[in-house]
Amino acid sequence: MGLMTFLRNRAGYILVFAIGFAIVAFLVGDAINVGKPFWSANQKVVGSVDGNEINIDDFQPKVDQSLNQFKQQYGGSLNPQMTSMAVDQAWNAELAKVLLSKEYDRLGLTVSEDELLDLLQGQNPSPLIKQYFSNPQTGQLDRATLMNFLKSKEPQALQQSTLLQQEITNQALQTKYSNLIRNSVYVTSLEAADEYNNRNKLANFKYVSLDYTSIPDASVKLTDGDYSDYYDQNKTRFNNPQESRSFDYVTFSISPTAADSAAVKAQITKIAADFKVAKNDSLFAAINSDVKVPFTYMTKGKLDPAVDSAVFALPAGSFYGPVLSGNSYKLVKVVATRFSPDSVKASHILIDPAKLGGEDKAIKLADSLKGLIQKGANFAELAKTYSVDGSKDKGGDLGTFARGAMVPEFENAAFDGQAGDIKVVKSQFGVHVIKIEKQIGSSKVAKLAYVEKALGASSKTQASAYKAASNFLNDVKGKDFAKYAAEKGLKVAVADRIAATQGFAPGLDNPRKLIQDAYKADKGDVLPEIYTMADAYVVARLTDIKPKGTLSLADVKKEIEPMVRNAVKAKMLVTKFNGAGKSSLDQIASKVGRPVNPVQNIVFANPIIPGVAQENKLVGSVFGAQPGKVSAPVEGDRGVYVFSVDGFTNPAPIANMFKQKESMLLAIGQRSLQSAFQALQDNADIKDNRVKFY
C-alpha cells in the first residue's frame, strides 16, 4: 500500500512528458512556432512532425501535467502566460522526441541492458533516480524505496517503472548524442589567439561624427529605389521564423467608478456593523468575504502587509477595519491569540477507511494502535505494517514542518498538543495516528475571522461599458477603424507581430481568444467578438499578417522606413565629409563644424563608443586601419564617422593556450547543440496547429 501512495504522490513527476522535457529543454530553447493555417488540419490534430501526427487526446494530458507543476510551483495561481508556457513545453517535448529519436537511429546510438541496469541501481545512478528517490531530509538515495518500486508487480507501479526506464534511456541517448556534437567542434590556435586579441587588444583613436539627426527628416524624400536598395542589401535580416499577426484595438474600461467605490464602501460599512455582533464568526466570514482565509491559528506574515502588522498587535476580542488596502476593503476580528510552536517534528500512521469498510472501523483501528503505542509498542514498526502513506518505509516520519504545510485537522493536532502526545484525527486523506516528536520555537499566533471585499465595478458600470463596446463593434465595420475610434474619443493601441501561441500581448492580460480569432481572420477584418480583460472590454482589427520565411519588401516597408531614411542621410553626410578633404582630422572637423572626439582603450569585442552607442562598423574599421591615417567615411548606426587611429596596445602573450581553447570550446559546444537541434527542425516537415486548441 505504501508503494501505491508513493506512486500517487510522485506519479506526476515520473510521467514521460515531464521528465522527457527536462531532458531536452536545453536543446529546444525558445518556443517553436511553425506551420500552416490551422483550418487545413484534422480537427483533432495539434500538429505533426515529419508525418507523425500529434493528437489532442494525447497532447492535452501533457499540457495538464505541466500546468499542475506550475500550480505547485506558484501556489495554485495560473495566468495566460503560464498556460502558453505549458503548451510550449509539451510541444517542444514532442518535437524533441521525434527528431532526436530519428537521429539516434541514424547514428546507431543505443543503451544496452547492462547500461540501463547500472543507471537504475549502480553506484552512480541516473540523475532522475537521484531526484525522485532521495531522502528529502538527508539528500541521500533511498535504495530501499527504489528497489521496492522497481520490484513491485502492482499494475500502476509496473506502468510507472516502464515510463521511468524509458526516460532514463532517453536521457542516456541524449547524453551520448550531446557528446558526439560537442566532440565534433574544435578550436585552432589561430582562432584562440584571435579571440584573445579581440578581447584584450586596445585601440586609441579620434573621430569626427555627423549624426543622422543633423538632417531633418522632412527634408529627406524617399523613393522606391531607396527602399529597394536597402531591402536588397539587408535581405537576410528579414527572415521571419514563424508566422505573426498584428492588430489594433480599443478598450472600454470596466474599472470601478466613483459611484461604484461609494457603493462598496457603504456595503462594507454595513457588513462591519453586522460582523461585530455576529454569533458565528467563521460562518459570517465564509459567507461575506471575497477571499477565503482558513479559520485557524496563523502566524504573522500571512496577510496583506498593511493589515498584518496592525492585526497582530491587537489582543483577542479586537476588531479591525474596515480599511482600504490595495484594491479591497479588509475587516478582521481577532478571535483568539496565544503562543505556539514555530514548527513540529512528527510521525504518523495513515489509515484508509475505504480499505477497512468504513470510517468507524478505521477510527477503531486507530484507537487500538494509539493504545498499543502508549503501552510501549514500536511506532515505526506499526507504521510499516498499517500505514498507507509513502512515509511508512521511514517509520511514518514526516520530518519537521511549519504551519501551513499540513491540512488544518492535522496541523491543529500537531501544533496544539505537546511533545510525546499520540493523537487520532480525521482528514480528507483518512484517519491519522499522530506522534508529536518535538515542538520547536514559540511565537504569537492568532485565530482570525477575516472578511475582504474587492473594490470592483458594479453591474451597471460593466453593462454600460459592454454596451459602448457593442455599439462600436457594430458601427465600425466597413469604416476606417482608427479614424472612427478617434471620432469616438478612443485611443487605438497596437499589438505587433503576435505569434500564434503567444500568451501575452501589449496592454492585454487575457488575449488568447483574441489571438485565436486573429489567426482565423483576413487582413483588415474587425474581429467578431468583444473580448473581456480584467478591467476592460476590447474590440480589435487585424492589421497585418507576416508569413513564415523571407518577408517581402511590402511586408517590411513601414518598419524599415527609419533605416532607409538614415541610409539616404548617410549618403548626404558622406558627400559632406568628402568635400571637407582628407589632409587632417582637425581640418575636417573645422570644415564640417564638429569637434574631434578622442577615445581610449576600446576593444574589438565590446564596440561601445562612450557617450554615443554601440557602433560595430566604426570599431571594426578602426581595428583594420593603419595608425596615423585619416579614414574614409564610415556609415554607422547613429551617424557617419571619419577617424584616425593613434595606436594599438597589444596584450601580453597568451599564458595558457589550452585554457583559452577550453573556455572557447565550452561556449561553442553549447551553441553547437542548439544549432544542431535547430538544423533538425529546419529540415523537418513540421505543422503546428496549436492555435486551434489553445
Side-chain angles (χ1 to χ4, degrees), residues 211-221 565 569 572:
D211 293 345
Y212 297 135
T213 55
S214 65
I215 301 176
D217 288 351
S219 68
V220 180
K221 305 302 180 184
R565 183 177 292 108
K569 289 181 179 181
M572 299 165 66

Short mmCIF file of all heavy atoms in Angstrom, two decimals, residues 211-221 565 569 572:
data_model
loop_
_atom_site.label_atom_id
_atom_site.label_comp_id
_atom_site.label_asym_id
_atom_site.label_seq_id
_atom_site.Cartn_x
_atom_site.Cartn_y
_atom_site.Cartn_z
N ASP A 211 25.87 63.32 -37.12
CA ASP A 211 24.73 62.49 -36.74
C ASP A 211 23.62 62.58 -37.79
O ASP A 211 23.42 63.62 -38.42
CB ASP A 211 24.17 62.92 -35.39
CG ASP A 211 25.14 62.64 -34.25
OD1 ASP A 211 26.10 61.88 -34.47
OD2 ASP A 211 24.93 63.19 -33.16
N TYR A 212 22.88 61.49 -37.92
CA TYR A 212 21.74 61.49 -38.82
C TYR A 212 20.70 62.52 -38.40
O TYR A 212 19.97 63.07 -39.23
CB TYR A 212 21.10 60.10 -38.88
CG TYR A 212 22.03 59.04 -39.44
CD1 TYR A 212 22.15 57.79 -38.83
CD2 TYR A 212 22.78 59.27 -40.58
CE1 TYR A 212 22.99 56.82 -39.34
CE2 TYR A 212 23.64 58.31 -41.10
CZ TYR A 212 23.74 57.08 -40.47
OH TYR A 212 24.59 56.13 -40.98
N THR A 213 20.62 62.79 -37.10
CA THR A 213 19.64 63.77 -36.61
C THR A 213 19.96 65.19 -37.04
O THR A 213 19.13 66.08 -36.90
CB THR A 213 19.56 63.71 -35.07
OG1 THR A 213 20.88 63.91 -34.52
CG2 THR A 213 19.02 62.37 -34.59
N SER A 214 21.17 65.39 -37.58
CA SER A 214 21.53 66.74 -38.04
C SER A 214 20.79 67.13 -39.32
O SER A 214 20.77 68.29 -39.70
CB SER A 214 23.04 66.85 -38.26
OG SER A 214 23.45 65.99 -39.33
N ILE A 215 20.20 66.15 -39.97
CA ILE A 215 19.40 66.41 -41.17
C ILE A 215 17.94 66.19 -40.82
O ILE A 215 17.56 65.08 -40.42
CB ILE A 215 19.81 65.48 -42.33
CG1 ILE A 215 21.29 65.67 -42.68
CG2 ILE A 215 18.94 65.73 -43.56
CD1 ILE A 215 21.79 64.71 -43.75
N PRO A 216 17.07 67.16 -40.93
CA PRO A 216 15.64 66.99 -40.61
C PRO A 216 15.01 65.91 -41.47
O PRO A 216 15.27 65.83 -42.68
CB PRO A 216 15.03 68.37 -40.92
CG PRO A 216 16.18 69.32 -40.87
CD PRO A 216 17.37 68.55 -41.35
N ASP A 217 14.18 65.07 -40.83
CA ASP A 217 13.51 64.00 -41.57
C ASP A 217 12.69 64.55 -42.73
O ASP A 217 12.62 63.95 -43.81
CB ASP A 217 12.60 63.20 -40.63
CG ASP A 217 13.38 62.33 -39.67
OD1 ASP A 217 14.61 62.22 -39.83
OD2 ASP A 217 12.76 61.77 -38.74
N ALA A 218 12.05 65.70 -42.51
CA ALA A 218 11.16 66.26 -43.53
C ALA A 218 11.89 66.64 -44.81
O ALA A 218 11.29 66.74 -45.88
CB ALA A 218 10.43 67.48 -42.97
N SER A 219 13.19 66.85 -44.70
CA SER A 219 13.96 67.27 -45.88
C SER A 219 14.41 66.09 -46.73
O SER A 219 15.01 66.28 -47.79
CB SER A 219 15.18 68.08 -45.44
OG SER A 219 16.11 67.26 -44.76
N VAL A 220 14.15 64.87 -46.27
CA VAL A 220 14.59 63.67 -46.99
C VAL A 220 13.38 63.03 -47.66
O VAL A 220 12.44 62.58 -47.00
CB VAL A 220 15.26 62.66 -46.03
CG1 VAL A 220 15.70 61.42 -46.80
CG2 VAL A 220 16.44 63.29 -45.32
N LYS A 221 13.39 62.99 -48.97
CA LYS A 221 12.31 62.38 -49.73
C LYS A 221 12.76 60.99 -50.20
O LYS A 221 13.73 60.85 -50.95
CB LYS A 221 11.96 63.24 -50.95
CG LYS A 221 11.61 64.69 -50.62
CD LYS A 221 10.44 64.78 -49.63
CE LYS A 221 10.11 66.24 -49.31
NZ LYS A 221 9.03 66.33 -48.28
N ARG A 565 15.67 55.91 -44.39
CA ARG A 565 15.91 57.35 -44.30
C ARG A 565 17.34 57.63 -43.85
O ARG A 565 18.02 58.52 -44.39
CB ARG A 565 14.90 58.00 -43.35
CG ARG A 565 15.04 59.52 -43.28
CD ARG A 565 13.99 60.16 -42.39
NE ARG A 565 12.66 60.04 -42.98
CZ ARG A 565 11.70 59.24 -42.55
NH1 ARG A 565 11.94 58.44 -41.50
NH2 ARG A 565 10.54 59.19 -43.14
N LYS A 569 20.33 59.62 -45.67
CA LYS A 569 21.07 60.67 -44.96
C LYS A 569 22.57 60.36 -44.96
O LYS A 569 23.40 61.27 -45.07
CB LYS A 569 20.58 60.79 -43.52
CG LYS A 569 19.19 61.41 -43.37
CD LYS A 569 18.81 61.50 -41.89
CE LYS A 569 17.46 62.12 -41.69
NZ LYS A 569 17.10 62.25 -40.25
N MET A 572 24.25 61.59 -47.97
CA MET A 572 24.39 63.05 -47.93
C MET A 572 25.56 63.45 -47.04
O MET A 572 26.34 64.35 -47.36
CB MET A 572 23.08 63.68 -47.45
CG MET A 572 21.88 63.37 -48.35
SD MET A 572 20.28 63.73 -47.58
CE MET A 572 20.37 65.51 -47.43
#
